């Protein structure tokens, strides 16, 4: 009888422990979501058929963090790297809980951390600003190539100042509808193509 009770308790613990992993409490959710982008899906477990993923979601006025779940339809599995459902036979990362984290450079600081003309890599190293987003990993952690979107590239063109912008040298409107100096389109004789 003692052995069967121990076996039953072990089985209950196994089910209970798995439920704790699959249904984390608020503290565990906070930890899972720390420094994670809100639009990134991840797995809570590699067990099962590779269809279930969750993402972090802030809810309500207080910004309570909760997990929102998605389940791929039958025959499909969630590809962690592509962040989408795909045919099960084409998904080779069902053993991964999340996509790898890329180190980011430290571009915005309250106080300067590097000499003029240099920026800080994610690991604290300071390199010339021109080495960032040049399609070559120069930081030891590769962070100089991980923040290169139009919004984050430290070598991007400066934002257009519409008070300084004068045709034909400058055109500030991203969608091509605003003309510098608030001119009417019929008063401008330039052909603008893109």
């Amino acid at each position: 009888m003692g052995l069967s009770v121990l076996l039953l308790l072990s089985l209950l613990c196994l089910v209970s422990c798995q439920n704790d992993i699959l249904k984390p409490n608020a503290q565990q959710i906070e930890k899972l979501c720390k420094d994670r982008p809100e639009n990134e899906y991840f797995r809570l477990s590699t067990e099962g058929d590779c269809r279930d993923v969750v993402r972090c979601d802030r809810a309500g006025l207080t910004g309570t963090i909760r997990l929102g779940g998605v389940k791929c339809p039958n025959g499909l599995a969630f590809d962690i790297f592509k962040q989408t459902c795909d045919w099960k036979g084409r998904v080779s990362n069902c053993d991964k809980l999340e996509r790898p984290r890329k180190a980011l450079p430290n571009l915005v600081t309250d106080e300067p951390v590097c000499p003029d003309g240099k920026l800080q890599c994610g690991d604290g190293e300071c390199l010339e600003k021109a080495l960032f987003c040049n399609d070559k990993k120069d930081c030891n952690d590769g962070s100089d190539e991980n923040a290169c979107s139009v919004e984050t590239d430290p070598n991007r063109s400066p934002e257009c100042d519409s008070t300084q912008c004068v045709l034909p040298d400058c055109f500030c409107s991203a969608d091509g509808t605003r003309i510098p100096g608030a001119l009417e389109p019929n008063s401008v004789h330039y052909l603008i193509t893109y």
Side-chain angles (χ1 to χ4, degrees):
M1 171 139 175
L3 184 59
S4 59
V5 170
L6 183 60
L7 185 60
L8 180 62
L9 286 174
S10 297
L11 183 59
L12 288 174
C13 179
L14 180 62
V15 171
S16 168
C17 293
Q18 284 182 343
N19 284 342
D20 286 347
I21 292 170
L22 298 177
K23 294 181 182 174
N25 63 35
Q27 186 177 11
Q28 292 166 324
I29 291 172
E30 191 79 35
K31 187 176 178 182
L32 281 169
C33 294
K34 183 175 176 18
D35 299 326
R36 186 184 300 274
E38 287 188 22
N39 61 349
E40 180 184 319
Y41 288 93
F42 59 98
R43 299 185 217 291
L44 294 175
S45 170
T46 56
E47 302 296 318
D49 58 7
C50 195
R51 294 170 48 203
D52 297 300
V53 290
V54 295
R55 71 178 179 87
C56 301
D57 182 35
R58 294 202 179 275
L61 297 174
T62 60
T64 303
I65 299 175
R66 61 185 182 185
L67 296 178
V70 171
K71 185 174 192 125
C72 295
N74 285 331
L76 302 180
F78 194 85
D79 189 311
I80 284 291
F81 300 141
K82 293 180 190 173
Q83 292 285 292
T84 188
C85 294
D86 200 349
W87 295 110
K88 186 151 179 73
R90 293 177 52 180
V91 177
S92 61
N93 54 42
C94 290
D95 60 333
K96 307 282 187 231
L97 292 174
E98 61 188 0
R99 56 180 175 186
R101 295 258 178 248
K102 292 182 177 182
L104 295 175
N106 189 14
L107 300 177
V108 180
T109 59
D110 292 332
E111 297 290 326
V113 291
C114 294
D116 281 345
K118 293 189 175 193
L119 296 173
Q120 189 178 46
C121 301
D123 63 3
E125 177 185 15
C126 292
L127 294 179
E128 295 296 326
K129 180 180 175 185
L131 296 175
F132 284 72
C133 299
N134 66 352
D135 292 326
K136 181 179 173 246
K137 292 184 179 181
D138 298 294
C139 292
N140 292 328
D141 61 5
S143 62
D144 60 307
E145 300 302 319
N146 294 339
C148 298
S149 70
V150 173
E151 294 84 20
T152 59
D153 184 344
N155 294 307
R156 68 187 177 276
S157 298
E159 289 197 25
C160 189
D161 180 354
S162 59
T163 63
Q164 302 294 317
C165 181
V166 178
L167 284 174
D169 301 321
C170 173
F171 197 84
C172 269
S173 176
D175 64 359
T177 59
R178 291 189 355 248
I179 300 170
L183 298 173
E184 291 297 318
N186 61 358
S187 68
V188 178
H189 303 289
Y190 296 102
L191 176 62
I192 299 172
T193 61
Y194 39 113

